[in-house]
Amino acid sequence: MEIQSIKNRFAIIGNSPALNYALQVAVQVANTDLTVLIHGESGVGKEVFSHIIHSLSARKHNPFIAVNCGAIPEGTLDSELFGHEKGSFTGAVDSRKGYFETVSGGTIFLDEIGEMPLGTQARLLRVLESGEFIRVGSSKVQKTDVRVIAATNKDLLERTQQGKFREDLYYRLSTVPIRVPALRDRKEDIPLLFRKFAVDFAERYKTSPVQMSDDAKNLLINYSWPGNIRELKNIAEQVSVLSQDRNLAGEDLRKFLPDRDYNRLPVLAHPQGTVNGHEFSNEREILYKLFFDMKKDVTELKKMFVEILQNPNLAVHHESMINELQEVGQHDTLQRIQPTVQAKQPVFLHHDHEIHQHEEVEESLNIMDKEKELIVKALKKHKGKRKDAASDLGISERTLYRKLKEYDIKE
């Protein structure tokens, strides 16, 4: 059967090569009993492909049922698929046939197969390998003749590595994989789909179809469409109902698109509880790390100033080092420790052109004292406002309150 006739029959719009290839595979595999695994993001129309495969198969006059594995509670999914015996669990007042029994001879479409519990996966694997199943609460083995078409929006191979999906079931399901392209990978189809939806909604709401300007088309094409066709259809409906102007400009369309960027741009992020890649169990350990780093910075700066005083020619070299530190993000640290450096600089006496360094008194390294000192400074800085002080310290307001009690700090 030609691809175009399939598109007409199932109201599929688009001419992208990826879409055409997926349809071609579906048509070729339809008249077999091979298990099919349909990959694709949410909203790309995976269920339509299951209907195409069933309607073109020898089972087309037999039952077809679609089951959303993610929408059925884990405790009842086995009963729904394989049936149960009376009294097998609380509420089982009668025996009940499952889908694999009632749809025998037809097709079952298992959507969101990646959400299926491991126990149910083992039962499904037995059906696929031998056509056998057992009702919940029974020991009698029954036979079924059902073709399974599964779909997922997750990477099942990755889930097998995480122990969330059986590897043997994955390879049994993906005898023939079909990949349905995301809408952002079918840019040439986006204006066609929008026009079709706009016409449909115009008929429904008794209005004239919305027309798009070139800049509106470009905006539509370059949007990332994380919700795929489902999202495009929703936008088309909103525009059809709410737009006052039937000739849609880019500025008008922008009002209907979510104000967020779905482009996959690199983002630098530090997980909560980590500093420079090191994990810490609480905020005290983080403060310890920061204090020791600050102490190291202070020591290095002191040595630098001594060297400069002894040899002024080194000033240029050390200035470049400070600039380099600032460039790699240490500017804030330098600002924090600068007052300390100024206060703790060693005293020099010049006599006969010689420089004698007097031994300085080492500052306190007690962590508790430093932590208390920082808290007091933060409170003074923010005039006693705990919320702002806690935010500046990088701890929660609740933690700050606890530490005020712990150190007996009077606000």
Side-chain angles (χ1 to χ4, degrees), residues 294 298 301-302 305 331-345 363 373 377:
M294 288 172 64
V298 170
L301 285 171
K302 287 177 181 177
F305 290 135
H331 181 65
D332 290 340
T333 303
L334 289 171
Q335 284 187 326
R336 288 197 304 270
I337 64 177
Q338 189 175 16
T340 307
V341 175
Q342 292 173 347
K344 297 293 183 178
Q345 280 187 19
E363 61 199 302
E373 181 183 339
K377 284 183 178 180

Short mmCIF file of all heavy atoms in Angstrom, two decimals, residues 294 298 301-302 305 331-345 363 373 377:
data_model
loop_
_atom_site.label_atom_id
_atom_site.label_comp_id
_atom_site.label_asym_id
_atom_site.label_seq_id
_atom_site.Cartn_x
_atom_site.Cartn_y
_atom_site.Cartn_z
N MET A 294 40.03 29.64 52.60
CA MET A 294 40.32 31.04 52.86
C MET A 294 41.65 31.19 53.59
O MET A 294 42.44 32.10 53.31
CB MET A 294 39.19 31.66 53.69
CG MET A 294 37.89 31.86 52.92
SD MET A 294 36.54 32.37 53.99
CE MET A 294 37.14 33.96 54.53
N VAL A 298 44.86 33.37 52.40
CA VAL A 298 45.48 34.41 53.22
C VAL A 298 46.98 34.18 53.36
O VAL A 298 47.80 35.10 53.23
CB VAL A 298 44.80 34.46 54.62
CG1 VAL A 298 45.58 35.36 55.56
CG2 VAL A 298 43.37 34.95 54.49
N LEU A 301 48.76 35.08 50.15
CA LEU A 301 48.83 36.51 49.95
C LEU A 301 49.87 37.17 50.86
O LEU A 301 50.58 38.10 50.46
CB LEU A 301 47.46 37.14 50.17
CG LEU A 301 46.44 36.91 49.04
CD1 LEU A 301 45.06 37.37 49.47
CD2 LEU A 301 46.86 37.65 47.78
N LYS A 302 49.96 36.68 52.10
CA LYS A 302 50.97 37.22 53.01
C LYS A 302 52.37 36.99 52.46
O LYS A 302 53.22 37.90 52.47
CB LYS A 302 50.83 36.56 54.38
CG LYS A 302 49.63 37.02 55.19
CD LYS A 302 49.55 36.25 56.48
CE LYS A 302 48.33 36.67 57.29
NZ LYS A 302 48.21 35.87 58.53
N PHE A 305 53.06 39.44 49.68
CA PHE A 305 53.37 40.81 50.07
C PHE A 305 54.78 40.93 50.64
O PHE A 305 55.47 41.93 50.45
CB PHE A 305 52.34 41.31 51.09
CG PHE A 305 50.98 41.54 50.50
CD1 PHE A 305 49.84 41.10 51.14
CD2 PHE A 305 50.85 42.19 49.28
CE1 PHE A 305 48.59 41.30 50.58
CE2 PHE A 305 49.60 42.40 48.72
CZ PHE A 305 48.47 41.95 49.36
N HIS A 331 37.48 36.20 42.61
CA HIS A 331 37.38 37.61 42.97
C HIS A 331 36.64 37.80 44.30
O HIS A 331 37.06 38.58 45.16
CB HIS A 331 36.67 38.37 41.85
CG HIS A 331 36.55 39.85 42.13
ND1 HIS A 331 37.64 40.68 42.23
CD2 HIS A 331 35.45 40.62 42.32
CE1 HIS A 331 37.22 41.90 42.47
NE2 HIS A 331 35.91 41.90 42.54
N ASP A 332 35.55 37.06 44.48
CA ASP A 332 34.78 37.18 45.70
C ASP A 332 35.61 36.77 46.91
O ASP A 332 35.54 37.38 47.98
CB ASP A 332 33.51 36.33 45.63
CG ASP A 332 32.52 36.92 44.63
OD1 ASP A 332 32.65 38.12 44.33
OD2 ASP A 332 31.63 36.18 44.19
N THR A 333 36.39 35.69 46.75
CA THR A 333 37.23 35.23 47.85
C THR A 333 38.25 36.28 48.24
O THR A 333 38.49 36.55 49.40
CB THR A 333 37.95 33.93 47.45
OG1 THR A 333 36.97 32.97 47.07
CG2 THR A 333 38.77 33.38 48.60
N LEU A 334 38.87 36.91 47.22
CA LEU A 334 39.85 37.96 47.48
C LEU A 334 39.21 39.13 48.22
O LEU A 334 39.79 39.70 49.14
CB LEU A 334 40.46 38.45 46.16
CG LEU A 334 41.41 37.46 45.48
CD1 LEU A 334 41.77 37.97 44.09
CD2 LEU A 334 42.67 37.26 46.29
N GLN A 335 37.99 39.47 47.82
CA GLN A 335 37.30 40.58 48.48
C GLN A 335 37.00 40.25 49.93
O GLN A 335 37.10 41.11 50.81
CB GLN A 335 36.00 40.90 47.74
CG GLN A 335 36.22 41.66 46.44
CD GLN A 335 34.91 42.10 45.84
OE1 GLN A 335 33.91 41.40 45.95
NE2 GLN A 335 34.91 43.23 45.19
N ARG A 336 36.64 39.00 50.17
CA ARG A 336 36.32 38.61 51.54
C ARG A 336 37.55 38.64 52.44
O ARG A 336 37.46 39.00 53.60
CB ARG A 336 35.70 37.20 51.56
CG ARG A 336 34.30 37.12 51.01
CD ARG A 336 33.64 35.83 51.46
NE ARG A 336 34.42 34.66 51.08
CZ ARG A 336 34.27 34.01 49.94
NH1 ARG A 336 33.37 34.42 49.07
NH2 ARG A 336 35.00 32.95 49.67
N ILE A 337 38.70 38.23 51.90
CA ILE A 337 39.87 38.09 52.76
C ILE A 337 40.74 39.34 52.78
O ILE A 337 41.65 39.44 53.58
CB ILE A 337 40.72 36.89 52.33
CG1 ILE A 337 41.29 37.11 50.93
CG2 ILE A 337 39.94 35.61 52.39
CD1 ILE A 337 42.20 35.98 50.49
N GLN A 338 40.45 40.33 51.91
CA GLN A 338 41.29 41.51 51.84
C GLN A 338 41.37 42.26 53.18
O GLN A 338 42.45 42.65 53.61
CB GLN A 338 40.80 42.44 50.75
CG GLN A 338 41.77 43.59 50.47
CD GLN A 338 41.30 44.42 49.30
OE1 GLN A 338 40.16 44.34 48.89
NE2 GLN A 338 42.20 45.21 48.77
N PRO A 339 40.23 42.48 53.88
CA PRO A 339 40.32 43.16 55.17
C PRO A 339 41.19 42.39 56.15
O PRO A 339 41.92 42.98 56.94
CB PRO A 339 38.86 43.23 55.65
CG PRO A 339 38.06 43.11 54.39
CD PRO A 339 38.85 42.20 53.50
N THR A 340 41.10 41.06 56.12
CA THR A 340 41.90 40.25 57.01
C THR A 340 43.38 40.42 56.73
O THR A 340 44.21 40.52 57.63
CB THR A 340 41.52 38.76 56.86
OG1 THR A 340 40.13 38.64 57.01
CG2 THR A 340 42.23 37.90 57.88
N VAL A 341 43.73 40.46 55.41
CA VAL A 341 45.12 40.62 55.02
C VAL A 341 45.65 41.96 55.50
O VAL A 341 46.76 42.07 56.03
CB VAL A 341 45.26 40.51 53.48
CG1 VAL A 341 46.70 40.80 53.07
CG2 VAL A 341 44.87 39.12 53.03
N GLN A 342 44.82 43.02 55.32
CA GLN A 342 45.26 44.33 55.74
C GLN A 342 45.47 44.40 57.25
O GLN A 342 46.40 45.01 57.74
CB GLN A 342 44.26 45.39 55.30
CG GLN A 342 44.21 45.57 53.78
CD GLN A 342 43.10 46.49 53.36
OE1 GLN A 342 42.22 46.81 54.14
NE2 GLN A 342 43.15 46.92 52.12
N ALA A 343 44.60 43.76 57.99
CA ALA A 343 44.68 43.80 59.45
C ALA A 343 45.84 42.97 59.98
O ALA A 343 46.39 43.27 61.02
CB ALA A 343 43.36 43.33 60.06
N LYS A 344 46.17 41.90 59.26
CA LYS A 344 47.16 40.94 59.76
C LYS A 344 48.51 41.06 59.07
O LYS A 344 49.34 40.16 59.17
CB LYS A 344 46.62 39.51 59.57
CG LYS A 344 45.37 39.21 60.37
CD LYS A 344 45.67 39.22 61.85
CE LYS A 344 44.43 38.86 62.66
NZ LYS A 344 44.73 38.82 64.10
N GLN A 345 48.74 42.11 58.32
CA GLN A 345 50.03 42.25 57.65
C GLN A 345 51.15 42.32 58.69
O GLN A 345 51.02 42.97 59.72
CB GLN A 345 50.07 43.53 56.80
CG GLN A 345 49.38 43.37 55.46
CD GLN A 345 49.59 44.59 54.60
OE1 GLN A 345 50.50 45.35 54.86
NE2 GLN A 345 48.76 44.76 53.61
N GLU A 363 46.46 33.92 63.75
CA GLU A 363 45.04 34.11 64.01
C GLU A 363 44.38 32.81 64.43
O GLU A 363 44.88 31.72 64.16
CB GLU A 363 44.36 34.62 62.73
CG GLU A 363 44.47 33.67 61.58
CD GLU A 363 44.22 34.37 60.25
OE1 GLU A 363 43.14 34.92 60.12
OE2 GLU A 363 45.11 34.33 59.41
N GLU A 373 31.51 34.00 64.01
CA GLU A 373 31.89 35.32 63.51
C GLU A 373 31.17 35.65 62.20
O GLU A 373 30.67 36.76 62.01
CB GLU A 373 33.40 35.36 63.29
CG GLU A 373 33.93 36.71 62.80
CD GLU A 373 35.42 36.67 62.53
OE1 GLU A 373 36.11 35.78 63.08
OE2 GLU A 373 35.89 37.52 61.76
N LYS A 377 28.47 38.69 61.53
CA LYS A 377 28.69 39.65 60.45
C LYS A 377 27.50 39.70 59.50
O LYS A 377 27.08 40.78 59.06
CB LYS A 377 29.95 39.28 59.67
CG LYS A 377 31.24 39.62 60.38
CD LYS A 377 32.46 39.29 59.51
CE LYS A 377 33.76 39.67 60.20
NZ LYS A 377 34.93 39.34 59.36
#
